[in-house]
Amino acid sequence: YWSLKFGIPKKKGVIYDLRKDGFQSVDRPVFFLSTGRCGTKWFASLLANDSHLKVFHEPQPNLGSQGKTVYEIYRKSKFKVSENEKELINEMFLAGREQYLRYSYKSQKRYVETNKQITCFAPAIHEMLPSALFVHVIRHPGEFIRSAIRRKFYEEGNKEDLKRIVPVAGSEDDARWHQFDQLQKNAWLWNETNNFIEEFKSRIPAEQVFTFNFNELTKDNSVRLIHFVGAGIRESKIKKTLGRKSNIQKKGSYSPYDDWDSSAKDKLIQICGKLMETYGYH
């Protein structure tokens, strides 16, 4: 099963040995951090052009509900988790990714994951895999919210909301949560997810993280991403991939951000305004 996924192994490797050396032998894995609905499947298709990488958009298990639990642990402790909590988070991650890392080592292919559900595991990943690289993908909140509402995020009865973060109990946001409409809840999701990522980024070396603005999806920015990841992909391949669209939302109806009325835009700005300015979304 794993050889079919990764190809014929080039060396031997067992979990015991990888754990013993602290996964130091796993070569620079790459993890994308995001809210989702911002081109993560497109990035997977781009990086898959390098045969030395093994790229997964939605590996299984996707760790969605586990990521939500991890978010709550980090937020309640303000990123100062206990040793027991740290061990728990590490084992939750390894339960879902240990074999992927093992066969990445055995096949000598660098592991790349663009799955949004991994986002809240980022502090643990950095500690377990110190050579890991991170790509933070951002997108205008109005565009994200439109896509999220069309996908029925935070709509009553949506079973996928089991995997979506909500304000931790007792927080200021928790007190307002039940008064929020669907637009405000998705604005909070965009803002809180990116704030979580920004706090994580401030705690790791700058050279290990690259921020990609999906609203500026150009050849030059894509080339910079390729260089950061250390992938070998020709510019002609980049140009060809730029012409493709992946995982487009076709169902559901909701107006584009430019067509929102002022009250809807005000709701977004009240929640996301500070980060919007930071990212240059005026």
Side-chain angles (χ1 to χ4, degrees):
Y1 174 81
W2 291 99
S3 294
L4 285 171
K5 279 184 175 293
F6 281 83
I8 298 173
K10 296 181 179 179
K11 58 170 68 173
K12 294 182 179 180
V14 296
I15 292 298
Y16 175 82
D17 292 331
L18 292 179
R19 281 182 175 249
K20 189 176 180 180
D21 82 348
F23 295 94
Q24 296 289 329
S25 52
V26 177
D27 183 27
R28 296 167 296 145
V30 183
F31 297 89
F32 279 61
L33 313 177
S34 75
T35 59
R37 311 311 305 152
C38 56
T40 50
K41 190 171 184 179
W42 180 86
F43 287 108
S45 65
L46 171 66
L47 294 173
N49 286 300
D50 185 343
S51 61
H52 296 97
L53 304 178
K54 188 60 185 176
V55 187
F56 292 89
H57 173 54
E58 291 183 343
Q60 295 300 317
N62 68 17
L63 299 178
S65 56
Q66 292 78 15
K68 179 180 179 180
T69 299
V70 170
Y71 161 78
E72 292 169 355
I73 294 173
Y74 279 120
R75 269 292 177 243
K76 288 176 181 176
S77 67
K78 298 181 180 179
F79 277 75
K80 296 178 181 179
V81 298
S82 68
E83 288 302 314
N84 285 340
E85 289 171 327
K86 188 181 297 183
E87 184 177 355
L88 171 65
I89 294 169
N90 291 353
E91 290 301 330
M92 288 168 70
F93 172 76
L94 290 174
R97 296 295 178 267
E98 204 165 45
Q99 291 286 18
Y100 287 90
L101 296 174
R102 177 188 173 202
Y103 276 85
S104 169
Y105 168 77
K106 290 181 67 170
S107 64
Q108 294 187 299
K109 293 181 180 180
R110 290 175 58 207
Y111 181 73
V112 180
E113 181 169 342
T114 67
N115 169 31
K116 68 174 181 180
Q117 309 290 4
I118 212 72
T119 295
C120 292
F121 279 97
I125 293 171
H126 174 65
E127 185 166 320
M128 281 186 287
L129 303 165
S131 68
L133 302 176
F134 298 90
V135 178
H136 177 196
V137 184
I138 60 174
R139 184 185 185 186
H140 189 285
E143 296 175 3
F144 165 77
I145 291 167
R146 180 185 184 228
S147 183
I149 290 178
R150 294 174 76 191
R151 288 243 169 174
K152 301 183 179 180
F153 286 17
Y154 299 119
E155 185 173 301
E156 187 175 354
N158 186 351
K159 296 176 182 178
E160 288 298 308
D161 284 343
L162 173 69
K163 304 172 186 176
R164 259 178 276 286
I165 62 173
V166 296
V168 296
S171 67
E172 182 179 338
D173 290 331
D174 180 45
R176 301 185 297 163
W177 183 253
H178 297 293
Q179 299 172 0
F180 281 169
D181 60 21
Q182 195 178 11
L183 187 157
Q184 290 169 310
K185 287 181 178 180
N186 282 291
W188 178 89
L189 175 62
W190 181 91
N191 194 67
E192 177 62 9
T193 303
N194 283 304
N195 269 325
F196 185 97
I197 297 170
E198 291 296 342
E199 189 163 351
F200 164 68
K201 285 161 61 177
S202 71
R203 297 168 181 269
I204 68 172
E207 61 270 18
Q208 286 185 253
V209 64
F210 181 89
T211 301
F212 193 106
N213 185 344
F214 193 65
N215 291 99
E216 297 176 1
L217 184 58
T218 64
K219 186 200 75 174
D220 289 344
N221 284 340
S222 299
V223 168
R224 281 191 279 271
L225 170 65
I226 295 302
H227 287 166
F228 170 78
V229 171
I233 301 174
R234 299 191 305 273
E235 288 194 19
S236 59
K237 282 285 187 182
I238 296 174
K239 289 179 180 178
K240 188 174 181 180
T241 308
L242 279 170
R244 301 174 188 161
K245 294 184 178 180
S246 300
N247 205 21
I248 303 170
Q249 177 59 31
K250 297 178 181 178
K251 296 181 180 179
S253 176
Y254 199 82
S255 299
Y257 176 72
D258 287 343
D259 295 337
W260 291 9
D261 61 33
S262 59
S263 64
K265 290 182 178 179
D266 286 344
K267 286 179 182 180
L268 181 149
I269 293 168
Q270 286 171 7
I271 296 172
C272 305
K274 186 175 180 180
L275 264 185
M276 288 176 71
E277 287 195 20
T278 299
Y279 295 153
Y281 294 139
H282 298 296

